[in-house]
Amino acid sequence: MTSIRRHVEDLVSRFDHPRARAAELLCDRHPADAVAFTVVEPDLSRRDWTFGELRTRSARLATALADLGAGPGDRVATLLGKSADLVVTLLAIWRIGAVHVPLFTALAPPAIATRLAGSGARIVVTEPAQRAKLGPSEDIPAAWRLTVITAGAAGDQRGDHRFERLLQAPEQPVPVAMGGEATLVELYTSGTTGPAKGVPVPLWAVASMLAYQEFGLDHQETDVFWNAADPGWAYGLYHAIIGPLGLGRRSLMLHSGFSARLTWAVLGAFRVTNFTAGPTVYRALRAAEDLAPPDLLLRHCSSAGEPLPADVSAWAERALGVPVLDHYGQTELGMAVANAWHPGLRAERRPGSMGRALPGWRLDVLRPETAEPAAPGERGRLAVDLAASPLMWFSGYRGAPGRTAERFTADRRWYLTGDTAARDDEGNFHFTARDDDVILMAGYRIGPSEVESVLLAHPAVTEAAVVGVPDDLRGEVVAAHVVVRPGHDAGPALAAELQALVKARFAAHAYPRIVRFVAELPRTPSGKLQRSALRSR
């Protein structure tokens, strides 16, 4: 363990340096001829991208971004699918010391507008299939004066800057020295109240990402590694793109949406050895087990984003040849707890456990009303010990001191995850629930308030409350409880309208798959909504 502890210290010192250059640490220091990403198309054709190619293209795009007015600290957003263009864009943003703002491609224009307004981003790199979401429109008016760069096929007549044309610029000679404390990414996460919160991720947080890549996932140089998570969210961005870049090790990137058939095909055709995804992916693979190739080479399978059902892991041992190990993290942390794959950290799995604290982290369970540690087996608040966690990088939400204060104890000794758990005598953590009512659907965090605000915009709705309910495939799905104004018909037609409205005004994946019309919402004597009563229905 001494060598592991020293390695964590070395990672922090490498990235937490006043002259640290993100593009150099994530790209330029690796051999130019080494493959960084293998981009796989739906027909299973492939294109290898070397670190040298990524360096050249991103250095040219960096010059173009600087010419468009972007510089250190400026926010530049991406609305791109999984592609080499996305990786090139991120490296270009970081070469000039700017900040990457990810926009998930399933978001609707109002949700995109919220994130653009919150971050102040005025340059957006997108692709033709997503371009219409950027206006001009009621949500994103022309007065915002967005500078839009469009990658992919030409033909857009909006006056956008063409991605390939910008790559004709001369190469930026030297990446900007950002320093470890500079913000690398500003990622927005959902909560139960108010708009999405901006999480500033400093450059030195990459040390934490690499620690998980090595210790939690055991990503080796010889691996065919594939993280199937979408890089529009934390796990995909941190560990499908940044983690592999930092290690200088090849990763697969599937240029397609999810399907069980295609996932089975990629696992077999590319001889994947190290695979990680959310429980929803494994459940979908189980449902389509008849499509499984006969000669898988998997040595590790991992899961993150939501609790892993025990039956899924048991199925995996039979069908995949290895168990699926559960891991835990947050946008604000990266990954902090895991049933680790690293040989020096492997331990006997405990049923239902998400594992132990990873190197560089110390977590505990606090009693509900105090900052005192709970007894083994006692349910309480899962918290990070800031004094004993050298990889803890989160210090607060951008421009939201009130929400930041809610995440820390008054003495700033503990960071409160908002989740409840229990710890056994051996240090294994067992997830029990979320304190903040965020809905985890297929690995995506959905804030009830964001869905509720869309529902309340419908003229037929007077009150609305959203909760998550169990679902065999997705883990949870969104259920909306709606009080209808007098004179409106509470029937299937209105339910369909409300579902379509959420898809159009927030995100396609977040629409309520269940709509229940109720006479009133359950409340406490003080008027507080009782979400637990809605879930029990």
Side-chain angles (χ1 to χ4, degrees), residues 107 111 115 188-197 233 403 407 434 436-441 443-455 464-468 476-480 502 505-507 509-512 529 531 535:
L107 292 176
R115 287 152 176 79
Y188 282 75
T189 185
S190 298
T192 52
T193 59
K197 306 179 292 292
W233 299 98
R403 292 183 178 181
R407 282 299 199 186
R434 291 179 308 281
D436 61 3
D437 290 314
V438 166
I439 300 162
L440 285 179
M441 192 205 74
Y444 300 124
R445 293 173 62 89
I446 300 171
S449 69
E450 293 181 289
V451 179
E452 290 163 358
S453 65
V454 175
L455 296 173
V466 165
V467 296
E476 282 186 312
V477 295
V478 177
V502 173
R505 303 293 295 172
F506 176 43
H509 69 284
Y511 79 93
L529 178 67
R531 294 187 191 272
R535 282 191 291 267

Side-chain angles (χ1 to χ4, degrees), residues 465-467 481 516 521-522 529-537:
V466 165
V467 296
H481 298 77
R516 294 175 177 148
L521 299 177
L529 178 67
Q530 290 184 303
R531 294 187 191 272
S532 60
L534 292 175
R535 282 191 291 267
S536 69
R537 293 180 180 180

Side-chain angles (χ1 to χ4, degrees), residues 112-135:
I112 291 171
T114 296
R115 287 152 176 79
L116 291 177
S119 65
R122 288 296 176 264
I123 298 178
V124 185
V125 184
T126 190
E127 57 198 10
Q130 298 289 327
R131 178 59 180 87
K133 295 180 180 180
L134 297 174

Side-chain angles (χ1 to χ4, degrees), residues 132-192:
K133 295 180 180 180
L134 297 174
S137 64
E138 177 184 351
D139 303 300
I140 303 176
W144 281 18
R145 297 183 178 277
L146 288 182
T147 297
V148 179
I149 300 170
T150 305
D156 194 299
Q157 302 300 314
R158 299 172 184 267
D160 296 355
H161 296 273
R162 305 305 312 174
F163 189 87
E164 288 296 330
R165 188 173 300 161
L166 294 182
L167 292 181
Q168 298 173 14
E171 294 181 29
Q172 178 203 46
V174 180
V176 169
M178 300 172 60
E181 295 293 336
T183 302
L184 186 76
V185 175
E186 187 166 299
L187 190 57
Y188 282 75
T189 185
S190 298
T192 52

Side-chain angles (χ1 to χ4, degrees), residues 264 282 285-290 292-294 296 298 301 310-324 349:
W264 276 126
Y282 292 106
L285 292 177
R286 180 174 61 178
E289 186 178 351
D290 59 311
L296 294 173
L298 288 164
C301 284
D311 64 317
V312 172
S313 192
W315 162 81
E317 289 200 67
R318 174 182 59 80
L320 303 178
V322 292
V324 180
R349 284 185 296 134

Side-chain angles (χ1 to χ4, degrees), residues 325-347:
L325 299 190
D326 199 9
H327 299 172
Y328 169 85
Q330 293 184 325
T331 301
E332 296 91 337
L333 302 177
M335 304 302 292
V337 175
N339 290 288
W341 280 109
H342 187 280
L345 299 171
R346 290 290 300 275

